[in-house]
mmCIF file of all heavy atoms in Angstrom:
data_model
loop_
_atom_site.group_PDB
_atom_site.id
_atom_site.type_symbol
_atom_site.label_atom_id
_atom_site.label_comp_id
_atom_site.label_asym_id
_atom_site.label_seq_id
_atom_site.Cartn_x
_atom_site.Cartn_y
_atom_site.Cartn_z
ATOM 1 N N GLN A 346 18.722 -9.634 -1.219
ATOM 2 C CA GLN A 346 17.904 -9.703 -0.087
ATOM 3 C C GLN A 346 18.399 -8.834 1.262
ATOM 4 O O GLN A 346 19.546 -8.337 1.002
ATOM 5 C CB GLN A 346 17.790 -11.186 0.271
ATOM 6 C CG GLN A 346 17.445 -12.193 -0.907
ATOM 7 C CD GLN A 346 16.160 -11.774 -1.566
ATOM 8 O OE1 GLN A 346 15.007 -11.413 -0.989
ATOM 9 N NE2 GLN A 346 16.163 -11.969 -2.876
ATOM 10 N N ASP A 347 17.671 -8.667 2.152
ATOM 11 C CA ASP A 347 18.104 -7.908 3.382
ATOM 12 C C ASP A 347 18.943 -9.084 4.184
ATOM 13 O O ASP A 347 18.492 -9.926 4.795
ATOM 14 C CB ASP A 347 16.834 -7.501 4.269
ATOM 15 C CG ASP A 347 17.119 -6.719 5.350
ATOM 16 O OD1 ASP A 347 18.401 -6.803 5.767
ATOM 17 O OD2 ASP A 347 16.314 -6.127 5.908
ATOM 18 N N VAL A 348 20.193 -8.819 4.150
ATOM 19 C CA VAL A 348 21.160 -9.829 4.563
ATOM 20 C C VAL A 348 21.012 -9.927 6.159
ATOM 21 O O VAL A 348 21.266 -10.995 6.784
ATOM 22 C CB VAL A 348 22.568 -9.599 4.320
ATOM 23 C CG1 VAL A 348 23.607 -10.575 4.857
ATOM 24 C CG2 VAL A 348 22.726 -9.524 2.707
ATOM 25 N N ALA A 349 20.577 -8.897 6.807
ATOM 26 C CA ALA A 349 20.331 -8.951 8.373
ATOM 27 C C ALA A 349 19.301 -9.914 8.641
ATOM 28 O O ALA A 349 19.229 -10.433 9.757
ATOM 29 C CB ALA A 349 19.944 -7.630 8.916
ATOM 30 N N CYS A 350 18.461 -10.177 7.641
ATOM 31 C CA CYS A 350 17.318 -11.216 8.033
ATOM 32 C C CYS A 350 17.820 -12.692 7.995
ATOM 33 O O CYS A 350 17.107 -13.572 8.457
ATOM 34 C CB CYS A 350 16.304 -11.113 6.921
ATOM 35 S SG CYS A 350 15.215 -9.682 6.992
ATOM 36 N N VAL A 351 19.191 -12.812 7.832
ATOM 37 C CA VAL A 351 19.721 -14.130 7.991
ATOM 38 C C VAL A 351 19.579 -14.471 9.530
ATOM 39 O O VAL A 351 19.616 -15.683 9.845
ATOM 40 C CB VAL A 351 21.216 -14.232 7.478
ATOM 41 C CG1 VAL A 351 21.875 -15.443 7.979
ATOM 42 C CG2 VAL A 351 21.284 -14.253 5.949
ATOM 43 N N ALA A 352 19.666 -13.426 10.379
ATOM 44 C CA ALA A 352 19.502 -13.691 11.808
ATOM 45 C C ALA A 352 18.275 -14.600 12.038
ATOM 46 O O ALA A 352 18.284 -15.528 13.118
ATOM 47 C CB ALA A 352 19.421 -12.472 12.595
ATOM 48 N N GLU A 353 17.262 -14.453 11.360
ATOM 49 C CA GLU A 353 16.046 -15.170 11.621
ATOM 50 C C GLU A 353 15.925 -16.392 10.662
ATOM 51 O O GLU A 353 15.339 -17.418 10.946
ATOM 52 C CB GLU A 353 14.772 -14.289 11.606
ATOM 53 C CG GLU A 353 14.554 -13.627 10.256
ATOM 54 C CD GLU A 353 13.710 -12.345 10.538
ATOM 55 O OE1 GLU A 353 12.539 -12.482 10.626
ATOM 56 O OE2 GLU A 353 14.303 -11.294 10.515
ATOM 57 N N SER A 354 16.292 -16.191 9.320
ATOM 58 C CA SER A 354 16.111 -17.110 8.329
ATOM 59 C C SER A 354 17.115 -18.369 8.591
ATOM 60 O O SER A 354 16.569 -19.383 8.195
ATOM 61 C CB SER A 354 16.600 -16.533 7.035
ATOM 62 O OG SER A 354 15.785 -15.514 6.611
ATOM 63 N N ALA A 355 18.110 -18.214 9.220
ATOM 64 C CA ALA A 355 19.016 -19.396 9.473
ATOM 65 C C ALA A 355 18.640 -20.118 10.714
ATOM 66 O O ALA A 355 19.492 -20.538 11.545
ATOM 67 C CB ALA A 355 20.481 -18.896 9.517
ATOM 68 N N VAL A 356 17.404 -20.111 10.929
ATOM 69 C CA VAL A 356 16.850 -20.979 11.949
ATOM 70 C C VAL A 356 16.054 -22.097 11.387
ATOM 71 O O VAL A 356 15.350 -22.030 10.482
ATOM 72 C CB VAL A 356 15.960 -20.026 12.969
ATOM 73 C CG1 VAL A 356 15.177 -20.984 13.789
ATOM 74 C CG2 VAL A 356 16.799 -19.058 13.821
ATOM 75 N N GLY A 357 16.254 -23.292 12.019
ATOM 76 C CA GLY A 357 15.517 -24.329 11.551
ATOM 77 C C GLY A 357 15.986 -25.730 11.990
ATOM 78 O O GLY A 357 16.781 -25.799 12.963
ATOM 79 N N VAL A 358 15.582 -26.842 11.430
ATOM 80 C CA VAL A 358 15.845 -28.102 11.688
ATOM 81 C C VAL A 358 16.399 -29.012 10.627
ATOM 82 O O VAL A 358 15.773 -29.029 9.633
ATOM 83 C CB VAL A 358 14.704 -28.830 12.555
ATOM 84 C CG1 VAL A 358 14.895 -30.370 12.721
ATOM 85 C CG2 VAL A 358 14.226 -28.090 13.761
ATOM 86 N N THR A 359 17.531 -29.746 10.763
ATOM 87 C CA THR A 359 17.976 -30.746 9.832
ATOM 88 C C THR A 359 17.654 -31.990 10.621
ATOM 89 O O THR A 359 17.967 -32.229 11.778
ATOM 90 C CB THR A 359 19.389 -30.504 9.635
ATOM 91 O OG1 THR A 359 19.738 -29.287 8.990
ATOM 92 C CG2 THR A 359 19.902 -31.718 8.676
ATOM 93 N N ARG A 360 17.185 -33.024 9.772
ATOM 94 C CA ARG A 360 16.993 -34.352 10.276
ATOM 95 C C ARG A 360 17.322 -35.444 9.208
ATOM 96 O O ARG A 360 17.165 -35.306 8.077
ATOM 97 C CB ARG A 360 15.434 -34.552 10.533
ATOM 98 C CG ARG A 360 15.019 -35.941 11.124
ATOM 99 C CD ARG A 360 13.711 -35.828 11.790
ATOM 100 N NE ARG A 360 12.567 -35.454 10.805
ATOM 101 C CZ ARG A 360 12.100 -36.152 9.996
ATOM 102 N NH1 ARG A 360 12.241 -37.496 9.970
ATOM 103 N NH2 ARG A 360 11.004 -35.653 9.207
ATOM 104 N N PHE A 361 18.219 -36.391 9.889
ATOM 105 C CA PHE A 361 18.599 -37.592 8.959
ATOM 106 C C PHE A 361 17.849 -38.831 9.564
ATOM 107 O O PHE A 361 17.705 -38.959 10.897
ATOM 108 C CB PHE A 361 20.109 -37.794 9.053
ATOM 109 C CG PHE A 361 20.857 -36.826 8.288
ATOM 110 C CD1 PHE A 361 20.249 -35.712 7.497
ATOM 111 C CD2 PHE A 361 22.218 -36.914 8.136
ATOM 112 C CE1 PHE A 361 20.875 -34.912 6.762
ATOM 113 C CE2 PHE A 361 22.954 -36.040 7.493
ATOM 114 C CZ PHE A 361 22.402 -34.936 6.749
ATOM 115 N N GLU A 362 17.627 -39.758 8.634
ATOM 116 C CA GLU A 362 16.968 -41.077 9.068
ATOM 117 C C GLU A 362 17.745 -42.076 8.345
ATOM 118 O O GLU A 362 17.781 -41.972 7.016
ATOM 119 C CB GLU A 362 15.573 -41.144 8.852
ATOM 120 C CG GLU A 362 14.705 -40.322 9.851
ATOM 121 C CD GLU A 362 13.096 -40.464 9.533
ATOM 122 O OE1 GLU A 362 12.890 -41.309 8.599
ATOM 123 O OE2 GLU A 362 12.310 -39.896 10.107
ATOM 124 N N LEU A 363 18.198 -43.151 8.835
ATOM 125 C CA LEU A 363 18.770 -44.318 8.266
ATOM 126 C C LEU A 363 17.787 -45.289 7.792
ATOM 127 O O LEU A 363 16.973 -45.714 8.575
ATOM 128 C CB LEU A 363 19.893 -45.016 9.180
ATOM 129 C CG LEU A 363 20.748 -46.014 8.441
ATOM 130 C CD1 LEU A 363 21.641 -45.360 7.516
ATOM 131 C CD2 LEU A 363 21.561 -46.645 9.592
ATOM 132 N N ARG A 364 17.707 -45.622 6.554
ATOM 133 C CA ARG A 364 16.704 -46.530 6.056
ATOM 134 C C ARG A 364 17.136 -47.941 6.028
ATOM 135 O O ARG A 364 18.458 -48.250 6.097
ATOM 136 C CB ARG A 364 16.134 -46.167 4.656
ATOM 137 C CG ARG A 364 15.391 -44.804 4.514
ATOM 138 C CD ARG A 364 14.208 -44.950 5.326
ATOM 139 N NE ARG A 364 13.539 -43.535 5.705
ATOM 140 C CZ ARG A 364 12.732 -42.969 4.865
ATOM 141 N NH1 ARG A 364 12.349 -43.518 3.694
ATOM 142 N NH2 ARG A 364 12.181 -41.766 5.184
ATOM 143 N N ASP A 365 16.213 -48.929 6.020
ATOM 144 C CA ASP A 365 16.647 -50.346 6.090
ATOM 145 C C ASP A 365 17.528 -50.801 5.053
ATOM 146 O O ASP A 365 18.351 -51.757 5.268
ATOM 147 C CB ASP A 365 15.308 -51.195 6.098
ATOM 148 C CG ASP A 365 14.488 -51.035 7.392
ATOM 149 O OD1 ASP A 365 14.925 -50.537 8.466
ATOM 150 O OD2 ASP A 365 13.190 -51.267 7.409
ATOM 151 N N ASP A 366 17.455 -50.107 3.937
ATOM 152 C CA ASP A 366 18.269 -50.662 2.841
ATOM 153 C C ASP A 366 19.651 -49.928 2.787
ATOM 154 O O ASP A 366 20.371 -50.023 1.815
ATOM 155 C CB ASP A 366 17.546 -50.379 1.403
ATOM 156 C CG ASP A 366 17.360 -48.945 1.123
ATOM 157 O OD1 ASP A 366 17.536 -47.997 2.044
ATOM 158 O OD2 ASP A 366 16.649 -48.589 0.144
ATOM 159 N N GLY A 367 19.900 -49.197 3.839
ATOM 160 C CA GLY A 367 21.143 -48.492 3.851
ATOM 161 C C GLY A 367 21.139 -47.190 3.412
ATOM 162 O O GLY A 367 22.181 -46.484 3.261
ATOM 163 N N GLY A 368 19.951 -46.662 2.728
ATOM 164 C CA GLY A 368 19.987 -45.293 2.260
ATOM 165 C C GLY A 368 19.831 -44.258 3.260
ATOM 166 O O GLY A 368 19.590 -44.623 4.631
ATOM 167 N N LEU A 369 19.821 -43.007 3.020
ATOM 168 C CA LEU A 369 19.769 -41.883 3.984
ATOM 169 C C LEU A 369 18.687 -41.016 3.593
ATOM 170 O O LEU A 369 18.618 -40.481 2.396
ATOM 171 C CB LEU A 369 21.019 -41.251 3.965
ATOM 172 C CG LEU A 369 21.117 -40.075 5.067
ATOM 173 C CD1 LEU A 369 21.242 -40.539 6.415
ATOM 174 C CD2 LEU A 369 22.310 -39.092 4.800
ATOM 175 N N TYR A 370 17.606 -40.818 4.378
ATOM 176 C CA TYR A 370 16.669 -39.781 4.301
ATOM 177 C C TYR A 370 17.246 -38.613 4.870
ATOM 178 O O TYR A 370 17.527 -38.542 6.182
ATOM 179 C CB TYR A 370 15.284 -40.309 4.939
ATOM 180 C CG TYR A 370 14.233 -39.151 4.886
ATOM 181 C CD1 TYR A 370 13.499 -38.900 3.762
ATOM 182 C CD2 TYR A 370 14.037 -38.339 6.025
ATOM 183 C CE1 TYR A 370 12.503 -37.890 3.771
ATOM 184 C CE2 TYR A 370 13.063 -37.330 5.967
ATOM 185 C CZ TYR A 370 12.314 -37.104 4.858
ATOM 186 O OH TYR A 370 11.352 -36.117 4.808
ATOM 187 N N ALA A 371 17.032 -37.325 4.280
ATOM 188 C CA ALA A 371 17.480 -36.140 4.834
ATOM 189 C C ALA A 371 16.423 -35.100 4.499
ATOM 190 O O ALA A 371 15.964 -35.014 3.461
ATOM 191 C CB ALA A 371 18.886 -35.749 4.267
ATOM 192 N N CYS A 372 16.145 -34.149 5.497
ATOM 193 C CA CYS A 372 15.270 -33.068 5.384
ATOM 194 C C CYS A 372 15.797 -31.893 6.093
ATOM 195 O O CYS A 372 16.402 -31.971 7.116
ATOM 196 C CB CYS A 372 13.769 -33.546 5.549
ATOM 197 S SG CYS A 372 13.505 -33.698 7.291
ATOM 198 N N VAL A 373 15.300 -30.777 5.609
ATOM 199 C CA VAL A 373 15.529 -29.524 6.251
ATOM 200 C C VAL A 373 14.079 -28.820 6.363
ATOM 201 O O VAL A 373 13.437 -28.759 5.462
ATOM 202 C CB VAL A 373 16.559 -28.577 5.629
ATOM 203 C CG1 VAL A 373 17.860 -29.337 5.776
ATOM 204 C CG2 VAL A 373 16.177 -28.221 4.211
ATOM 205 N N THR A 374 13.901 -28.037 7.325
ATOM 206 C CA THR A 374 12.815 -27.191 7.621
ATOM 207 C C THR A 374 13.242 -25.856 8.115
ATOM 208 O O THR A 374 13.767 -25.837 9.192
ATOM 209 C CB THR A 374 11.765 -27.986 8.582
ATOM 210 O OG1 THR A 374 11.389 -29.160 8.038
ATOM 211 C CG2 THR A 374 10.464 -26.993 8.628
ATOM 212 N N LEU A 375 12.952 -24.770 7.349
ATOM 213 C CA LEU A 375 13.195 -23.465 7.778
ATOM 214 C C LEU A 375 11.980 -22.537 7.814
ATOM 215 O O LEU A 375 11.333 -22.357 6.804
ATOM 216 C CB LEU A 375 14.221 -22.882 6.787
ATOM 217 C CG LEU A 375 15.625 -23.526 6.600
ATOM 218 C CD1 LEU A 375 15.579 -24.453 5.614
ATOM 219 C CD2 LEU A 375 16.583 -22.404 6.236
ATOM 220 N N PRO A 376 11.487 -22.083 9.049
ATOM 221 C CA PRO A 376 10.231 -21.515 9.185
ATOM 222 C C PRO A 376 10.325 -19.880 8.925
ATOM 223 O O PRO A 376 9.329 -19.353 8.872
ATOM 224 C CB PRO A 376 9.781 -21.767 10.605
ATOM 225 C CG PRO A 376 11.267 -22.006 11.374
ATOM 226 C CD PRO A 376 12.171 -22.582 10.455
ATOM 227 N N ASN A 377 11.503 -19.326 8.694
ATOM 228 C CA ASN A 377 11.532 -17.956 8.760
ATOM 229 C C ASN A 377 12.440 -17.503 7.606
ATOM 230 O O ASN A 377 13.279 -16.490 7.664
ATOM 231 C CB ASN A 377 12.354 -17.401 10.006
ATOM 232 C CG ASN A 377 11.616 -17.907 11.211
ATOM 233 O OD1 ASN A 377 12.388 -18.182 12.239
ATOM 234 N ND2 ASN A 377 10.470 -18.236 11.349
ATOM 235 N N ILE A 378 12.135 -17.930 6.337
ATOM 236 C CA ILE A 378 12.847 -17.419 5.148
ATOM 237 C C ILE A 378 12.271 -16.141 4.665
ATOM 238 O O ILE A 378 11.156 -16.104 4.217
ATOM 239 C CB ILE A 378 12.843 -18.561 4.095
ATOM 240 C CG1 ILE A 378 13.421 -19.824 4.525
ATOM 241 C CG2 ILE A 378 13.508 -18.027 2.846
ATOM 242 C CD1 ILE A 378 13.415 -20.956 3.492
ATOM 243 N N VAL A 379 13.043 -15.043 4.893
ATOM 244 C CA VAL A 379 12.532 -13.691 4.413
ATOM 245 C C VAL A 379 13.238 -13.254 3.129
ATOM 246 O O VAL A 379 14.304 -12.785 3.159
ATOM 247 C CB VAL A 379 12.842 -12.637 5.574
ATOM 248 C CG1 VAL A 379 12.312 -11.277 5.238
ATOM 249 C CG2 VAL A 379 12.232 -13.180 6.970
ATOM 250 N N VAL A 380 12.525 -13.590 2.093
ATOM 251 C CA VAL A 380 13.065 -13.311 0.666
ATOM 252 C C VAL A 380 12.012 -12.658 -0.192
ATOM 253 O O VAL A 380 10.725 -12.918 0.098
ATOM 254 C CB VAL A 380 13.588 -14.449 0.070
ATOM 255 C CG1 VAL A 380 14.828 -14.985 0.935
ATOM 256 C CG2 VAL A 380 12.527 -15.591 -0.046
ATOM 257 N N GLY A 381 12.398 -11.989 -1.132
ATOM 258 C CA GLY A 381 11.495 -11.498 -2.212
ATOM 259 C C GLY A 381 12.203 -11.398 -3.584
ATOM 260 O O GLY A 381 13.421 -11.593 -3.669
ATOM 261 N N THR A 382 11.466 -11.302 -4.586
ATOM 262 C CA THR A 382 11.952 -11.129 -6.011
ATOM 263 C C THR A 382 11.707 -9.864 -6.560
ATOM 264 O O THR A 382 12.090 -9.654 -7.734
ATOM 265 C CB THR A 382 11.389 -12.385 -6.796
ATOM 266 O OG1 THR A 382 10.022 -12.346 -6.810
ATOM 267 C CG2 THR A 382 12.015 -13.614 -6.293
ATOM 268 N N VAL A 383 10.992 -9.006 -5.858
ATOM 269 C CA VAL A 383 10.772 -7.654 -6.323
ATOM 270 C C VAL A 383 11.065 -6.632 -5.153
ATOM 271 O O VAL A 383 11.014 -7.102 -3.944
ATOM 272 C CB VAL A 383 9.284 -7.382 -6.836
ATOM 273 C CG1 VAL A 383 8.987 -8.374 -8.051
ATOM 274 C CG2 VAL A 383 8.249 -7.736 -5.650
ATOM 275 N N GLY A 384 11.361 -5.423 -5.421
ATOM 276 C CA GLY A 384 11.448 -4.400 -4.445
ATOM 277 C C GLY A 384 12.938 -4.566 -3.690
ATOM 278 O O GLY A 384 13.591 -5.573 -3.994
#
Side-chain angles (χ1 to χ4, degrees):
Q346 311 304 318
D347 186 342
V348 183
C350 288
V351 170
E353 61 203 281
S354 296
V356 167
V358 173
T359 294
R360 180 163 55 87
F361 284 4
E362 290 180 3
L363 191 62
R364 293 298 166 89
D365 291 340
D366 62 358
L369 183 71
Y370 172 84
C372 70
V373 297
T374 302
L375 296 92
N377 307 151
I378 300 176
V379 183
V380 293
T382 56
V383 299

